[in-house]
Amino acid sequence: MGAAQRKDYDRTKHPTAPNLKWMDRIKNDQPFTELSIPGTHQSVCFHGGPGYQSQSWPLYSQYEVGIRFVDIPCRHFKRDLHVHNAHIYQGTLLRDILSTSVQFLDNYPCEVILIKINKEFSEDNNNGQSMEETLRGILGSFPENRLWPYTYLPNTIGEARGRIVLVQDFDTGRDVGVPYSTFHVEDHWHVASVLHHDIEGKWNRARRNLNQDPQPLKMNLTFTNGCSAGAYPTAVAEHINTKLFAFLKDTRGKNPKPWGIICMDFPGAELVKLIIDTNKFV
């Protein structure tokens, strides 16, 4: 049996219905915190078996289908940043993520990509070099015009077109990116099983954050993923993505406020498009 591909859930490597330049249809003066942005959780975690895999689309394909927020857990090891899920190395480095992102923005400079970086697993063999120093060194090898240079969110989308906005989810002496505290976050990831009670509990938390009125200078960030020893990420996503798809369809045209960022496991292309379509287009 082939991998599942539905409107709301996709475990294939080939998404349908690309949305290459959807931000190009938004006015430059649109406040950045009033956008609805589709994202992926643990965006390039493909290895380690069903308990660790969170996505199936390659990173560039995610960007092509419309994903504009990616979540990159990094282990600081040998003075480099290795993408991990817990102890499982995912076969790629942060510099590879940045290279792919810059390549996409070179092709579509009207877009903006947010990259969340957090500290994952243990730090080893760094010869006293901090994660902040390592990150600054990596960023220094990329074009300045592709990096948002400030430690606050852009005021408008026009200010940030063609740039990567780093979201910093780890402590440093000086901020390298936009602090994670800038966001109103729902990230309760432990889902004990796929029984009704546990799925409903996870969905209710996500829905409350989606319905949260945006706070001044803050942006809602809702993670819909979940897992545990009794519920693999794929199984949770199958249930939650269906609920999210129905929720977005039901509220389409009725909800005047933005959703902020919605971060998902194994989203389907039409689910991504539903999030995109809640923006205010020219």
Side-chain angles (χ1 to χ4, degrees):
M1 182 181 293
Q5 186 173 56
R6 305 190 318 234
K7 294 178 180 180
D8 59 316
Y9 172 84
D10 193 345
R11 286 189 61 193
T12 74
K13 293 183 179 181
H14 307 289
T16 60
N19 295 284
L20 296 168
K21 298 168 61 177
W22 65 266
M23 288 181 162
D24 194 34
R25 297 183 288 137
I26 298 174
K27 289 183 178 180
N28 279 334
D29 62 358
Q30 174 69 27
F32 198 85
T33 57
E34 295 179 13
L35 296 172
S36 295
I37 298 176
T40 49
H41 158 256
Q42 293 185 333
S43 304
V44 294
C45 290
F46 307 122
H47 307 296
Y52 293 90
Q53 184 182 1
S54 301
Q55 307 298 331
S56 59
W57 297 337
L59 183 61
Y60 198 88
S61 296
Q62 292 184 35
Y63 292 152
E64 288 181 319
V65 83
I67 296 297
R68 295 293 179 267
F69 178 101
V70 293
D71 172 36
I72 308 296
C74 294
R75 180 190 184 192
H76 189 208
F77 180 62
K78 293 185 176 180
R79 291 185 293 180
D80 213 336
L81 294 177
H82 302 244
V83 182
H84 266 244
N85 184 351
H87 64 288
I88 305 292
Y89 175 49
Q90 295 299 315
T92 193
L93 304 172
L94 176 64
R95 64 183 74 246
D96 302 321
I97 305 303
L98 292 168
S99 293
T100 299
S101 304
V102 167
Q103 179 189 358
F104 182 81
L105 292 172
D106 284 345
N107 293 331
Y108 305 101
C110 54
E111 303 301 291
V112 182
I113 293 171
L114 296 98
I115 299 180
K116 173 182 170 290
I117 300 170
N118 67 281
K119 188 180 294 186
E120 190 84 354
F121 201 52
S122 62
E123 294 191 72
D124 293 297
N125 300 319
N126 293 303
N127 294 332
Q129 183 166 294
S130 70
M131 186 168 170
E132 174 194 341
E133 292 170 323
T134 297
L135 177 55
R136 289 188 188 278
I138 293 169
L139 294 175
S141 64
F142 289 90
E144 288 185 7
N145 69 329
R146 288 288 174 249
L147 301 173
W148 177 249
Y150 306 111
T151 56
Y152 53 82
L153 283 173
N155 291 312
T156 65
I157 189 172
E159 294 177 353
R161 291 195 192 278
R163 295 181 183 265
I164 294 165
V165 178
L166 286 181
V167 176
Q168 178 186 326
D169 186 17
F170 63 93
D171 294 328
T172 62
R174 291 185 302 152
D175 289 336
V176 185
V178 177
Y180 197 43
S181 59
T182 304
F183 299 86
H184 187 276
V185 181
E186 165 51 44
D187 190 15
H188 183 90
W189 60 267
H190 186 267
V191 180
S193 75
V194 292
L195 296 176
H196 177 79
H197 171 79
D198 294 317
I199 292 295
E200 284 299 310
K202 169 62 191 179
W203 169 241
N204 287 336
R205 289 186 180 92
R207 183 174 56 189
R208 277 196 298 270
N209 206 57
L210 289 170
N211 285 325
Q212 172 86 18
D213 288 331
Q215 301 176 18
L217 304 179
K218 283 212 171 194
M219 194 170 191
N220 287 351
L221 172 54
T222 306
F223 286 85
T224 64
N225 61 286
C227 69
S228 69
Y232 288 155
T234 50
V236 175
E238 275 203 85
H239 291 275
I240 296 296
N241 290 7
T242 297
K243 291 181 178 293
L244 177 61
F245 189 88
F247 172 80
L248 293 172
K249 284 198 75 173
D250 183 60
T251 55
R252 186 166 48 185
K254 305 174 187 176
N255 180 57
K257 64 183 180 61
W259 299 122
I261 300 163
I262 304 179
C263 235
M264 305 162 283
D265 280 351
F266 302 101
E270 292 193 41
L271 176 54
V272 172
K273 191 171 187 303
L274 268 180
I275 298 169
I276 291 170
D277 286 347
T278 60
N279 285 289
K280 297 175 183 176
F281 295 114
V282 176

